[in-house]
Amino acid sequence: MKLFPQSATEAEVRTALLEWIDMLAASRFAEAVDFLSPEIPDGSGSTSDTQWTPALLESVIANYGLAHPLEGEDWRYRVAAPTGDLLSEFDQCLDIDFEMWESTTDGLRLAGAIHVEMPLIFEDGPRLSDCTARFMFKHYPDGQMA
C-alpha cells in the first residue's frame, strides 16, 4: 500500500496517482492493487466484494465501473496514460482534499480524499470519462496516511 507522510503535498499525491494510472494503462493490475489499501469500503458502488484483487480491478475498469459486464455490452474499456490535452483535462478535474474527518460508519479517522475522473480508451479513442475512482486517505498514528 502506498503511504504518504501527513505533510504530503497535492503535487506529491498527483505524481503518485499518475504512477498508479500508468500501472493500469500498462495492465499491471497486481502492482496497482498493491498501491491500494486492500479492503473495499461498503457502498463503493463498484462491487459487493470486500477485497481488491488484480482480476477485480481489471474487471471494474473494463466494465466502466462495474464488476461484471452489462448484458449486450461488448466493449471493454482500458485506462489511457494521460498525456498532452488529456493530461491537462485530467489535472483540471483532479480533486484532492486534505480535510480531516471521522468516518461515521466505523470511527476511522480519514485524512482526506481524492476524486479522479479516469482517462479511458473508448471506441473512438482516449478521453476523460465520468467513471470516477475515489480514494480515501486513512490517518495512521505514526503520522502517515494511505
Side-chain angles (χ1 to χ4, degrees):
M1 164 174 53
K2 176 71 175 173
L3 294 172
F4 295 92
Q6 197 166 355
S7 61
T9 65
E10 286 190 19
E12 291 168 324
V13 171
R14 176 192 173 275
T15 297
L17 186 59
L18 286 171
E19 289 172 12
W20 182 73
I21 289 172
D22 285 343
M23 289 175 207
L24 295 173
S27 298
R28 296 183 351 240
F29 297 103
E31 288 178 61
V33 166
D34 286 344
F35 184 95
L36 305 171
S37 179
E39 68 274 355
I40 299 173
D42 287 339
S44 72
S46 297
T47 180
S48 59
D49 291 274
T50 59
Q51 297 281 312
W52 284 111
T53 66
L56 178 60
L57 183 57
E58 181 178 13
S59 184
V60 166
I61 290 166
N63 298 304
Y64 207 80
L66 301 173
H68 305 286
L70 294 173
E71 187 174 328
E73 180 66 39
D74 294 330
W75 181 256
R76 305 277 292 167
Y77 296 91
R78 295 182 328 272
V79 172
T83 59
D85 290 342
L86 188 57
L87 180 58
S88 295
E89 189 178 351
F90 173 87
D91 284 335
Q92 289 174 0
C93 294
L94 183 60
D95 181 14
I96 301 172
D97 179 11
F98 286 127
E99 185 175 325
M100 182 76 76
W101 71 89
E102 297 281 333
S103 171
T104 57
T105 58
D106 57 13
L108 182 67
R109 287 186 69 207
L110 299 174
I114 305 172
H115 300 275
V116 179
E117 306 301 323
M118 292 299 293
L120 297 179
I121 300 173
F122 291 80
E123 290 178 280
D124 61 350
R127 67 175 185 266
L128 211 56
S129 71
D130 62 357
C131 187
T132 304
R134 291 182 181 92
F135 300 87
M136 303 304 232
F137 287 112
K138 291 187 233 175
H139 176 75
Y140 290 91
D142 64 1
Q144 295 190 89
M145 48 184 194

